[in-house]
Amino acid sequence: MRRIAILAEGAFEWHHGKTATGVIKYGQDPIVAVIDRANVGKDVAQALNAPFGQGIPVVRDIYEALKLEPDTLLIGVAPTGGDLDPIWRSQILAAIEAGLNIVSGLHFFLADDAELSEAANKYGVTIWDVRRVPDKKRVAQLVPHRTGSKTILMVGSDCATGKMSTALELDIEARRRNLDSAFVATGQTGIMISGNGLPVDHIICDFIAGMVEEMVLDFADKHEWVFVEGQGALNHPGYAPVTLGLIHGSNPDAMIFSHIAGLTTVDGYENAPLPSLKRLIQMNEEAISWIRPEPPSKAVGIALITHRLSEEEALAEIKRVEEETGLPTNDPMRFGVANLMDALERHFAE
């Protein structure tokens, strides 16, 4: 087991800090501290207003974190573009000099940086660049999944709408029901949590669908239920190509749609208003129908993120979305996924 300190300087919140929050909530290794000077003195639960992370302190810098004896520094920020913020470099170097291994999900590969690589060699530590893609190329071949397997893909209206968390919660719920289930990671945070997967947003576009197809076929050969982490959104101005490659590569038998309550535009794109939920869902169903018209793949439930709402407001919004779409809806992090799993079991029993 690693003892992890998480670097989340300036971004310990739900969007750009989603790597930190995901690893804290779902990872198996103990988290000894989070580094973010804006929230010093709080614990994780207080900083995020979350029902998890009690007792994990938020500290000022790597030097305070070292007092808690971590052996690993994990970069917990997922910035747009994935570059290394210059203000993080001194803290990463200090961690290396203290003998900590480094885990990073940035598009910028730390192991390829001369200064950081030289320091890692000098102090005998490893740098794991999670987004480094396997050295292979594969174009999708539209190979059918094993008969009897059930592949469910998480799709959504934007980035950071809870697609990974929903897939993980569904996997947990399926195993609680004694079903043969697996979670398939397709992004850096999911890979950090599960220890395997593909960083699809760093794969050459021609090979996204093919490499995802190969991975999902392997999981479907081994498991009855396969929950695939989603990425981006078909309506996203920047990341739609990744999403389309993932949809076609995973070739899902069903989908769960993820959305943030109250979201009206794509985050960071004020001139990209969101269509209605019904239209967004229809877009994803259309995209998979281009390669598999029969049997059709449908969204069978909605994961609605409501952390900005009170509990009363959240329950009312869940009911409203159910009425609008006709689909079972829940907030996986606040109220669980039992009704979404019920919907999936009914869908596959039909």
Side-chain angles (χ1 to χ4, degrees):
M1 298 289 285
R2 296 172 294 185
R3 289 176 55 82
I4 296 174
I6 296 179
L7 178 61
E9 182 59 54
F12 191 48
E13 37 77 29
W14 291 96
H15 187 77
H16 292 301
K18 64 182 182 180
T19 296
T21 58
V23 170
I24 292 167
K25 182 168 174 53
Y26 295 107
Q28 300 301 307
D29 299 308
I31 309 301
V32 302
V34 171
I35 299 168
D36 177 30
R37 71 188 69 185
N39 286 289
V40 171
K42 301 176 182 178
D43 68 8
V44 164
Q46 293 167 332
L48 295 175
N49 190 24
F52 61 88
Q54 291 86 353
I56 300 174
V58 181
V59 300
R60 185 174 305 278
D61 54 30
I62 184 62
Y63 302 103
E64 288 191 18
L66 287 173
K67 297 174 184 177
L68 300 168
E69 300 182 346
D71 58 29
T72 302
L73 179 69
L74 183 146
I75 312 302
V77 184
T80 301
D83 287 330
L84 175 67
D85 191 318
I87 67 173
W88 301 341
R89 180 176 289 270
S90 61
Q91 300 219 49
I92 295 171
L93 281 169
I96 292 173
E97 291 169 3
L100 275 62
N101 296 316
I102 308 297
V103 177
S104 170
L106 300 174
H107 283 294
F108 178 94
F109 290 161
L110 303 188
D112 292 347
D113 179 88
E115 182 181 30
L116 297 175
S117 177
E118 182 180 348
N121 289 332
K122 178 179 179 180
Y123 293 97
V125 304
T126 62
I127 297 176
W128 179 23
D129 286 306
V130 178
R131 269 186 164 127
R132 197 178 290 277
V133 177
D135 186 19
K136 67 182 303 182
K137 300 177 178 66
R138 186 181 189 277
V139 175
Q141 301 169 24
L142 199 57
V143 179
H145 297 173
R146 177 181 61 83
T147 301
S149 65
K150 305 165 183 67
T151 296
I152 301 95
L153 174 66
M154 311 301 123
V155 294
S157 58
D158 198 351
C159 302
T161 57
K163 295 181 287 291
M164 180 196 73
S165 297
T166 301
L168 285 163
E169 292 289 347
L170 283 166
D171 177 43
I172 292 167
E173 177 66 17
R175 286 187 279 112
R176 190 186 67 79
R177 299 183 185 198
N178 295 316
L179 300 174
D180 178 21
S181 171
F183 164 76
V184 180
T186 62
Q188 73 275 14
T189 309
I191 294 170
M192 290 175 186
I193 293 167
S194 66
N196 56 53
L198 282 174
V200 297
D201 62 0
H202 207 84
I203 298 174
I204 293 172
C205 198
D206 279 2
F207 309 125
I208 292 175
M211 293 179 71
V212 169
E213 177 185 56
E214 182 179 54
M215 177 174 65
V216 171
L217 284 169
D218 181 58
F219 273 88
D221 282 344
K222 297 173 181 175
H223 301 281
E224 180 184 2
W225 293 81
V226 178
F227 296 101
V228 183
E229 174 190 9
Q231 297 294 328
L234 277 180
N235 54 293
H236 196 288
Y239 303 135
V242 174
T243 307
L244 183 59
L246 181 53
I247 289 174
H248 284 179
S250 62
N251 192 6
D253 302 303
M255 295 176 285
I256 297 292
F257 189 85
S258 299
H259 180 64
I260 297 175
L263 193 69
T264 58
T265 64
V266 175
D267 185 69
Y269 294 84
E270 293 182 0
N271 58 344
L274 295 183
S276 69
L277 283 177
K278 282 188 174 182
R279 178 58 186 141
L280 285 165
I281 291 167
Q282 183 185 43
M283 288 164 57
N284 285 273
E285 292 175 343
E286 287 173 351
I288 185 58
S289 75
W290 301 336
I291 65 166
R292 58 168 292 169
E294 296 293 338
S297 178
K298 299 291 185 181
V300 301
I302 296 177
L304 188 68
I305 305 306
T306 65
H307 64 264
R308 299 171 182 170
L309 306 178
S310 69
E311 182 168 325
E312 182 180 359
E313 291 169 333
L315 292 170
E317 182 64 7
I318 287 169
K319 182 179 179 181
R320 189 196 68 77
V321 169
E322 284 186 329
E323 292 173 349
E324 176 187 345
T325 63
L327 293 175
T329 302
N330 219 338
D331 184 329
M333 274 59 79
R334 293 179 82 167
F335 308 121
V337 294
N339 67 328
L340 300 182
M341 192 66 212
D342 290 343
L344 286 167
E345 289 197 283
R346 288 194 301 270
H347 174 76
F348 287 111
E350 294 175 353

